[in-house]
Amino acid sequence: EDSAIHVDKRLLCGKTKSSGTGFYFKDDSMSESGSEVIERNTKLLQVPQGSLLNVFTAFNDEEFKAIATDLRENFDFDEELISLSYLVFLKLHNKNQFLLETLPSIDEMGGNLLTWPEEAVENLMLPQVIYQVEHNRMQLNEFFHKLKDCLSGKKPETEGAEDSNMAQSEAEEEKGENDLEKKIKEKTLSLLDFDVALWAKCIFDS
């Protein structure tokens, strides 16, 4: 079906020294001359739009939509940060197995300096690299704490925040609190782990 995910059985996700990480064909898909044998009009890979990881699929996910809206309206998250939050959400709830199974684990991303201990990065003796890693760590920490605040129901501290929060509480009382959205936030908060945020950040930076 056109709406189904399709991966040719000869197609593998792997890594080579010359080409890096990507899709490759199994050895038995090669001809005697070493060239790839692919028939014309062969469907190799198909991923429906709804299965892609982006801000549109984030807002189309009924379980994540309220979180995405809160992050955009109250925490100034842009499309990339919302998509990053969505990847964290998928990982925590073990959703979209096709996507998660194709992504490397944190142990397989040792080349990303964010996964290195601070002492190891400092031992590189490269000021520009050290600065960039520290900058990325600050961004990661800020992202994690804002996501945590969102899930716990906190709002950013701004001028007039008290009046704003009071008005918001009154509005919520008028329309009634969505118990399902609240439960999803509480469940996600209970599962939230910094290592998952680090993993997602490394995926986005790779």
Side-chain angles (χ1 to χ4, degrees):
E1 298 180 2
D2 291 339
S3 61
I5 294 174
H6 171 80
V7 181
D8 189 286
K9 63 181 181 180
R10 299 167 295 175
L11 201 59
L12 295 175
C13 182
K15 184 176 183 179
T16 66
K17 292 183 179 180
S18 58
S19 302
T21 302
F23 286 110
Y24 299 92
F25 285 95
K26 293 182 180 179
D27 292 339
D28 57 7
S29 67
M30 302 293 181
S31 67
E32 293 182 359
S33 62
S35 60
E36 295 155 348
V37 179
I38 308 175
E39 296 180 2
R40 181 177 296 179
N41 298 323
T42 298
K43 183 188 293 185
L44 300 175
L45 176 65
Q46 175 180 281
V47 181
Q49 185 175 358
S51 297
L52 298 175
L53 177 65
N54 54 41
V55 70
F56 301 107
T57 51
F59 277 99
N60 284 331
D61 188 321
E62 291 299 325
E63 294 183 338
F64 185 74
K65 183 192 302 184
I67 298 174
T69 301
D70 195 359
L71 289 171
R72 180 183 62 186
E73 295 181 355
N74 296 307
F75 294 88
D76 296 324
F77 271 31
D78 58 18
E79 292 185 0
E80 180 175 341
L81 288 178
I82 291 175
S83 300
L84 178 60
S85 303
Y86 187 41
L87 179 57
V88 172
F89 181 84
L90 293 176
K91 181 71 171 178
L92 293 174
H93 292 275
N94 204 27
K95 296 181 62 177
N96 197 336
Q97 280 298 305
F98 173 79
L99 172 66
L100 296 178
E101 289 175 1
T102 61
L103 297 175
S105 67
I106 191 71
D107 293 333
E108 296 173 311
M109 292 188 285
N112 191 311
L113 297 183
L114 269 179
T115 66
W116 289 26
E118 291 186 21
E119 297 80 4
V121 175
E122 292 175 356
N123 287 337
L124 293 174
M125 304 295 287
L126 298 170
Q128 290 184 333
V129 173
I130 295 173
Y131 171 81
Q132 187 61 52
V133 174
E134 288 302 315
H135 177 70
N136 290 343
R137 281 195 175 129
M138 289 177 61
Q139 287 184 325
L140 174 61
N141 288 331
E142 182 180 11
F143 161 78
F144 179 77
H145 289 298
K146 283 186 175 182
L147 178 58
K148 187 175 181 180
D149 285 347
C150 170
L151 296 174
S152 61
K154 295 181 181 179
K155 304 299 179 188
E157 292 295 332
T158 57
E159 292 185 7
E162 185 175 348
D163 295 337
S164 177
N165 289 340
M166 183 178 298
Q168 181 179 1
S169 297
E170 292 175 353
E172 288 177 351
E173 289 177 1
E174 289 180 1
K175 70 178 182 180
E177 186 176 16
N178 187 320
D179 289 338
L180 179 58
E181 292 176 358
K182 182 179 179 181
K183 288 180 180 178
I184 291 173
K185 279 191 172 184
E186 290 175 347
K187 177 64 174 179
T188 306
L189 179 62
S190 70
L191 296 171
L192 189 61
D193 186 281
F194 184 80
D195 285 344
V196 175
L198 171 61
W199 166 82
K201 173 69 172 171
C202 290
I203 292 293
F204 266 65
D205 288 349
S206 63

